[in-house]
Amino acid sequence: MKNFENEKHLLNYDEIDKLHREFLDIYNSVDSSSIDSYIQKLTALLQQSKRHFNVEEELMDKYSYPRSREHKDEHRKVLAEMQYFINNTNSLFGKKMLKAYYNEKLGDWFDLHLLSMDSDLTAFLKKAENGIV
């Protein structure tokens, strides 16, 4: 369980904060006793992340964010990881690997990505929207 914590997760950029809350709402809604729930939730997170990243990337392009290549590469990497684990659920081992990825990596990735890349992006966007950059 990973709650949205204002002091940790709030970037004070409404559109992106809303997307981050949606991600955590889906992430936390998994039934930890059901492998099928893990598959369903990761599939939902993949779809939400595609929309989420599209919003961020449109903002990057609109305001000529100077670190967009690295940020977009990170988006592609995590989407590919999610898809990989979803695609390999045809065996018990693959299902267990998806569950481990979900529990042990995805939540930590979310925090790190938000605290590093997304915080940098939103700081830039706020300046750009105020004509400072």
Side-chain angles (χ1 to χ4, degrees):
M1 190 70 130
K2 182 175 288 296
N3 294 317
F4 189 94
E5 302 171 38
N6 284 347
E7 62 279 352
K8 183 177 183 179
H9 297 118
L10 190 66
L11 299 175
N12 294 309
Y13 197 92
D14 291 343
E15 190 171 14
I16 292 175
D17 287 334
K18 180 178 180 271
L19 293 165
H20 289 160
R21 280 191 177 94
E22 287 174 4
F23 183 96
L24 288 180
D25 286 347
I26 296 167
Y27 181 83
N28 290 326
S29 68
V30 72
D31 174 358
S32 61
S33 67
S34 167
I35 193 66
D36 288 334
S37 179
Y38 279 98
I39 296 166
Q40 291 168 351
K41 296 306 174 182
L42 188 59
T43 301
L45 283 172
L46 175 62
Q47 296 310 312
Q48 189 273 348
S49 294
K50 287 178 180 178
R51 291 189 315 276
H52 170 170
F53 297 164
N54 188 53
V55 167
E56 289 183 5
E57 291 176 11
E58 285 178 0
L59 289 166
M60 288 179 210
D61 293 343
K62 178 179 179 180
Y63 292 102
S64 300
Y65 178 58
R67 289 165 292 287
S68 66
R69 185 182 55 79
E70 295 88 349
H71 201 136
K72 290 176 182 181
D73 286 348
E74 182 67 17
H75 286 169
R76 281 190 287 281
K77 181 181 98 40
V78 78
L79 292 174
E81 284 178 355
M82 289 180 185
Q83 190 66 62
Y84 172 83
F85 287 105
I86 292 166
N87 289 348
N88 287 289
T89 57
N90 54 346
S91 69
L92 182 58
F93 178 75
K95 290 175 182 176
K96 288 183 177 186
M97 291 302 296
L98 181 147
K99 183 178 178 180
Y101 169 75
Y102 195 100
N103 287 331
E104 297 171 21
K105 184 170 182 198
L106 192 57
D108 290 340
W109 171 85
F110 174 83
D111 282 348
L112 180 61
H113 183 77
L114 186 147
L115 294 171
S116 59
M117 293 188 158
D118 285 349
S119 64
D120 183 72
L121 172 62
T122 56
F124 176 85
L125 292 173
K126 289 175 202 174
K127 288 179 183 176
E129 289 172 351
N130 289 312
I132 297 172
V133 293

